[in-house]
Amino acid sequence: MVSTRTADDLQKEAVLNALVVLRLTHAALRGMTTRNMGDIIQISSAVAFYPLPDGATYAASKAFVNSLSEAVNRELRGTGVRITVVCPGFTRTAIPARLGFNETNIPRRLWQDPEAVVEVGLRAAARGKTVVSGLMNKVGAAMAYYLPRRLVLPYIERLQKPGLERAAASSPG
Ligand SMILES: NC(=O)c1ccc[n+]([C@@H]2O[C@H](COP(=O)([O-])OP(=O)(O)OC[C@H]3O[C@@H](n4cnc5c(N)ncnc54)[C@H](OP(=O)(O)O)[C@@H]3O)[C@@H](O)[C@H]2O)c1
């Protein structure tokens, strides 16, 4: 919850996930647009498509990455430079493990290996796709887009429960 983390901590997360991406994209685009060639692949998240209770800053920062990248990619049309945004769901890396998510509390079909995410991203960039996510994430994004928030948010809350319980258990308060 936003009120249980320090403002500094939340700001660091937002800066790292959103503003650092902006700075790096800006820096990379200079050389790329001069040479008129290059591909940028951003690693966003499936949560970029909906608000995430108890992960509010994370999801908002990823929505920033998607919006920025889609808009800049449009600005780049007609050049040899493109941006592809990869939006993975649960991926077997250190982050979900640290938050207490695993295949016993999150359905197996929602997990991907990092290698698969990389492959999807590289293939999408080669094809000139702007936004890419796995099939299950597409279903999730479509549900979040079409269903009313009053139905979507409780479902997301339930899915996030393991991470919330883990955070509560490790909280000094
Ligand atoms: N894993 C998932 O389920 C999942 C799902 C959707 C999106 N993503 C996104 O995928 C990306 C990679 O995450 P991951 O799952 O591969 O996690 P990871 O294995 O923990 O890797 C995170 C990386 O970020 C670096 N990092 C962390 N804090 C940093 C900081 N303050 N400054 C600079 N670098 C920092 C880490 O560097 P060190 O190794 O030096 O600490 C590490 O290389 C992230 O953008 C994450 O949001 C992950």
Side-chain angles (χ1 to χ4, degrees), residues 84-132:
T84 295
V85 198
V86 185
C87 302
F90 288 102
T91 308
R92 296 180 185 92
T93 67
I95 292 179
R98 200 175 56 238
L99 292 172
F101 295 111
N102 54 55
E103 286 176 34
T104 60
N105 52 36
I106 297 295
R108 199 159 187 213
R109 64 181 180 281
L110 297 182
W111 288 90
Q112 292 170 287
D113 285 319
E115 292 79 5
V117 174
V118 170
E119 205 177 307
V120 163
L122 290 173
R123 216 176 313 129
R127 288 184 188 155
K129 282 191 77 174
T130 308
V131 180
V132 62

Side-chain angles (χ1 to χ4, degrees), residues 12 16-17 20 43-47 58 62 86-96 98 111 114:
K12 274 186 200 158
L16 178 66
N17 284 357
V20 168
I43 302 299
S44 179
S45 168
V47 305
Y58 180 74
K62 294 296 187 179
V86 185
C87 302
F90 288 102
T91 308
R92 296 180 185 92
T93 67
I95 292 179
R98 200 175 56 238
W111 288 90

Side-chain angles (χ1 to χ4, degrees), residues 45-67:
S45 168
V47 305
F49 302 109
Y50 42 83
L52 184 67
D54 295 296
T57 305
Y58 180 74
S61 66
K62 294 296 187 179
F64 177 97
V65 172
N66 278 39
S67 180

